[in-house]
Amino acid sequence: MEEKKKNRLKKVAAGLRQDIIRMLCLAGSGHPGGALSMTDIFSYLYFGDVLNIDPNKPDKKDRDRLVLSKGHACPILYAALAEKGYFDKSHLKTLRKFGSILQGHPDMNKTPGVDISTGSLGQGLSCAVGMALGARLNGQSLKVFAVIGDGECDEGQIWEAAMAAAHYNLDNLIAIVDKNGLQIDGFTKDVMDTEPLAEKWKAFGWEVATIDGHDYDQIEDSIQKAKNASGRPAVVVAETVKGKGVSFMEGVCEWHGQAPSEEEKEEALKCIGEFKTD
Amino acid sequence: MIADNVKHMLETEEKNIATRAAYGAKLAELGGRYENIVVLDCDLSGSTKTSVFAKKFPERFFNFGIAETNMMSAAAGLATMGKIPFASTFGVFATKRAADQVSISIAYTKLNVKICATHTGITVGEDGATHQAIEDVAIMRSIPNIAVISPADGTETEKVLEEIIKIHGPCYVRLCRGSAPIIFNDDYHFQLGKGTRIYKGDKATVVCAGFTTHIGMEAAKELERQGIGVDLINMSSIKPIDSRLLVESAKKTGLVITVEDHSIIGGLGGAVCETLAEGQPAKVIRLGVKDRFGESGTPKELIEAYGFGKKDIIAAVKENIG
Ligand SMILES: Cc1ncc(C[n+]2csc(CCOP(=O)(O)OP(=O)(O)O)c2C)c(N)n1
Ligand SMILES: [Mg+2]
């Protein structure tokens, strides 16, 4: 990736991270860890000319679709959508509040830019399979992206979807696994070991790339290859750090589902600021 | 008049406790007394509080990861081997997601699995619709062979656990995220199929369960102050339900208000309607979630917006008494 683009995306990512921290602090509850681990990839997808979308026409028929199957990580989706211009940034302050367009988990009927409602883990990839099948039937050349968690891969439905996607040769479907190594009760290897994860996807008939999910060259490379996959679906297994960008949250299980206090927010914003340029 | 085994909780404001917390502590205690108890969870042990048991008896605790359907059928398998499995996760996942596994592996087989689900009702709050179980009672109640129990406070939760461990067969225990006042004294005894009359009156019958019981008590107290005596019934045993108590009370009052943190379809309100339609037809007003999904908000805001708070109960009684 060009240095200029990389710096731009890193800057966007820093802004998204700050938005995540701010909105969660105001909400008083929610999930920072899995939102921060996906931020660099979201920066690339939404601001790196990847997704064919138009914030002024959120329902445009031929748009690319993005399914946040790990719905609890919605602060990153909301931050990206707001930054992109789907809705005014002031809405971020209403996250999880009564009457907000920004629900605790994504609601396609309330939030412009959300392609399907999620929150019950394991269902999103199946929805994405349906979208990809539909697009093909319609003769639309759009791509469907599905972002799933590594803990979420415990769900049998993920593998039912994986099987179906390969069976139907869905080369218009791209899955991204946020392999941050943590779920709620601890490390995925201790709670329910899904390793060897990449090999599992391979065995299910997918094209697999394993990358550092915070390295923009690798992100771009893998996503572009996945977009060009032919005859089968592609998955990017992104090795990430849960809580990435906020040193005291990085790799700490408790920051899965806990909002920062006012003080922690200030400290987090400082951490993120330092990451802006390098 | 308030019943004997009930604390005057509204005066004392004694320690509030969530029923899930009482569950976690009691389960760990029971684990010491019953060696055949095994506990299963789906990556939510910190929230369901089975983590207390897990710490004490790690060899009898199984984390199935985020795989509720697998957990339920595995619980059935463990039960066939002489274990008493307690399977816990959030209410939405225990019932909606794993409905067929619960039905076929656990209920059809009449296996001794205790499903103890937490985070039920819209009072789950900020997580929103996907995490608010508003159909769980309806689903579990419609499956044959399973007892459905919704304890009102920490004390009753403990008593329920003591009781269901002695019953052989599937049970669904509906627990809550949020804290509520302690209602019952230690000499309270829970019996499957029996409700408890907490306040006595003859103008209306108010039937509550779980998180709504303490709300109902506040309403009953206020109504009593205004000279309107009501029967306030805690119907923690939703299935089997205490039809005798319901029929007797409805015969006296002729007006029944049901209050539940659940859809008004198929839950406590539905069960009461079914019972009274056959036993003692009476006017029934169902307060609860009115055929819609939940949303994000604080429990307090949601109870108000969905219309099953103290003032809604009072209004329902006053508008409908003859
Ligand atoms: C079906 C289902 N079961 C349980 C949960 C509760 N839950 C929310 S997040 C989570 C852990 C998710 O772990 P992972 O997929 O690794 O997400 P990440 O680490 O990216 O946050 C769990 C168990 C849920 N939302 N859906
Ligand atoms: Mg994870």
Side-chain angles (χ1 to χ4, degrees):
Chain A
M1 187 186 288
E2 269 178 52
E3 218 44 39
K4 211 174 133 199
K5 182 176 182 185
K6 201 186 287 180
N7 282 332
R8 181 174 59 81
L9 292 180
K10 279 186 180 175
K11 199 170 164 196
V12 170
L16 296 176
R17 287 195 163 94
Q18 292 185 333
D19 285 341
I20 290 168
I21 294 299
R22 283 200 192 94
M23 76 173 100
L24 284 168
C25 178
L26 277 171
S29 66
H31 303 85
L36 293 166
S37 58
M38 267 295 105
T39 301
D40 293 306
I41 286 174
F42 269 63
S43 175
Y44 176 65
L45 290 175
Y46 279 88
F47 303 95
D49 304 314
V50 181
L51 292 176
N52 174 20
I53 49 174
D54 180 355
N56 297 312
K57 294 189 203 117
D59 298 326
K60 190 177 73 165
K61 286 214 162 47
D62 283 333
R63 72 187 188 280
D64 286 342
R65 304 297 202 275
L66 186 134
V67 176
L68 182 61
S69 192
K70 39 168 268 184
H72 60 278
C74 56
I76 178 56
L77 178 59
Y78 298 158
L81 292 174
E83 182 68 30
K84 196 89 189 158
Y86 278 88
F87 47 81
D88 195 85
K89 269 202 164 186
S90 61
H91 284 287
L92 298 180
K93 294 187 182 140
T94 68
L95 172 72
R96 292 181 152 248
K97 301 238 191 288
F98 186 63
S100 174
I101 65 162
L102 304 180
Q103 292 289 297
H105 291 79
D107 182 337
M108 65 184 285
N109 295 312
K110 289 203 167 90
T111 315
V114 170
D115 288 320
I116 198 148
S117 304
T118 52
S120 179
L121 293 168
Q123 303 187 17
L125 188 60
S126 300
C127 298
V129 164
M131 291 174 181
L133 282 169
R136 190 162 70 191
L137 273 177
N138 293 342
Q140 294 165 297
S141 61
L142 60 87
K143 298 284 182 195
V144 182
F145 292 81
V147 177
I148 62 192
D150 51 357
E152 187 181 9
C153 290
D154 296 348
E155 286 287 0
Q157 189 178 353
I158 290 290
W159 303 102
E160 295 172 22
M163 210 162 2
H167 177 78
Y168 287 111
N169 309 108
L170 295 178
D171 53 16
N172 53 352
L173 174 63
I174 298 160
I176 298 167
V177 181
D178 184 359
K179 194 178 172 195
N180 56 28
L182 282 165
Q183 46 199 108
I184 293 185
D185 278 345
F187 295 105
T188 51
K189 69 172 165 35
D190 297 329
V191 176
M192 183 54 60
D193 197 357
T194 48
E195 293 289 8
L197 190 58
E199 279 80 350
K200 283 194 176 76
W201 287 96
K202 223 168 270 169
F204 273 77
W206 288 55
E207 204 166 295
V208 185
T210 301
I211 64 158
D212 172 345
H214 305 299
D215 180 315
Y216 283 88
D217 292 317
Q218 295 186 35
I219 294 171
E220 177 161 71
D221 236 45
S222 59
I223 298 283
Q224 291 310 325
K225 269 199 199 110
K227 282 183 80 168
N228 293 324
S230 168
R232 57 187 185 149
V235 59
V236 175
V237 177
E239 292 177 342
T240 61
V241 175
K242 202 158 173 170
K244 176 74 179 179
V246 178
S247 52
F248 63 92
M249 291 185 179
E250 288 187 356
V252 178
C253 194
E254 286 67 31
W255 286 106
H256 167 84
Q258 177 184 305
S261 66
E262 196 63 36
E263 275 167 25
E264 288 161 340
K265 177 192 80 178
E266 291 305 327
E267 199 184 331
L269 292 178
K270 245 183 261 164
C271 288
I272 296 163
E274 284 160 22
F275 270 76
K276 233 176 200 171
T277 47
D278 67 20
Chain B
M1 261 318 295
I2 199 157
D4 289 346
N5 51 8
V6 170
K7 293 195 181 197
H8 292 265
M9 58 115 187
L10 303 166
E11 276 91 62
T12 57
E13 272 268 339
E14 203 186 330
K15 53 165 190 191
N16 283 10
I17 181 178
T19 51
R20 64 177 165 134
Y23 164 62
K26 186 69 184 179
L27 188 60
E29 183 211 311
L30 288 172
R33 274 160 47 202
Y34 295 84
E35 279 185 2
N36 50 351
I37 288 182
V38 291
V39 176
L40 292 66
D41 204 299
C42 282
D43 195 26
L44 288 169
S45 68
S47 299
T48 63
K49 304 297 175 192
T50 61
S51 53
V52 187
F53 182 98
K55 214 171 219 165
K56 208 164 156 196
F57 306 105
E59 70 290 350
R60 284 194 269 147
F61 175 79
F62 301 98
N63 201 327
F64 276 78
I66 312 166
E68 297 78 10
T69 50
N70 189 39
M71 174 179 73
M72 290 303 179
S73 297
L78 278 157
T80 67
M81 306 306 285
K83 303 299 173 200
I84 308 176
F86 279 73
S88 282
T89 178
F90 289 175
V92 281
F93 311 129
T95 63
K96 289 193 289 186
R97 191 178 198 90
D100 193 38
Q101 284 73 13
V102 168
S103 171
I104 302 305
S105 300
I106 295 173
Y108 180 47
T109 53
K110 300 185 191 170
L111 286 167
N112 197 21
V113 176
K114 315 301 180 192
I115 301 162
C116 298
T118 66
H119 294 65
T120 57
I122 58 167
T123 52
V124 162
E126 292 80 357
D127 268 349
T130 57
H131 284 57
Q132 297 165 341
I134 55 164
E135 316 96 322
D136 60 314
V137 173
I139 292 168
M140 300 312 273
R141 212 168 65 77
S142 67
I143 299 175
N145 300 341
I146 302 190
V148 180
I149 307 159
S150 176
D153 73 347
T155 309
E156 189 172 36
T157 302
E158 292 174 6
K159 304 288 178 180
V160 164
L161 291 175
E162 290 275 5
E163 190 66 16
I164 63 171
I165 197 119
K166 292 181 206 139
I167 301 166
H168 186 92
C171 298
Y172 176 68
V173 182
R174 182 179 212 244
L175 303 165
C176 301
R177 170 178 181 240
S179 299
I182 293 287
I183 296 167
F184 293 104
N185 280 326
D186 229 23
D187 53 9
Y188 167 78
H189 177 64
F190 170 80
Q191 217 184 325
L192 197 61
K194 286 273 178 283
T196 315
R197 187 167 8 216
I198 293 180
Y199 275 85
K200 216 172 193 166
D202 56 11
K203 293 286 190 289
T205 304
V206 179
V207 189
C208 301
F211 200 77
T212 63
T213 296
H214 76 273
I215 302 173
M217 286 174 71
E218 285 171 23
K221 199 180 165 199
E222 172 64 23
L223 284 163
E224 192 172 71
R225 215 180 49 78
Q226 299 180 21
I228 305 167
V230 300
D231 265 359
L232 190 271
I233 293 172
N234 175 48
M235 192 57 78
S236 44
S237 180
I238 298 180
K239 184 187 177 182
I241 204 162
D242 192 342
S243 11
R244 208 207 259 164
L245 178 60
L246 285 175
V247 165
E248 179 219 299
S249 181
K251 198 172 202 168
K252 175 179 68 177
T253 65
L255 172 66
V256 179
I257 318 285
T258 61
V259 194
E260 61 195 309
D261 183 6
H262 183 276
S263 169
I264 57 166
I265 299 173
L268 176 67
V272 167
C273 285
E274 289 162 20
T275 306
L276 293 181
E278 289 178 348
Q280 177 68 37
K283 178 159 186 177
V284 181
I285 314 278
R286 292 166 301 154
L287 302 182
V289 181
K290 298 189 171 63
D291 198 18
R292 59 189 279 204
F293 279 98
E295 65 193 289
S296 294
T298 64
K300 206 168 152 234
E301 285 167 332
L302 293 169
I303 288 173
E304 192 169 310
Y306 287 67
F308 58 94
K310 176 180 163 186
K311 73 170 184 0
D312 304 295
I313 301 170
I314 293 171
V317 170
K318 285 179 151 179
E319 282 162 22
N320 291 285
I321 45 179

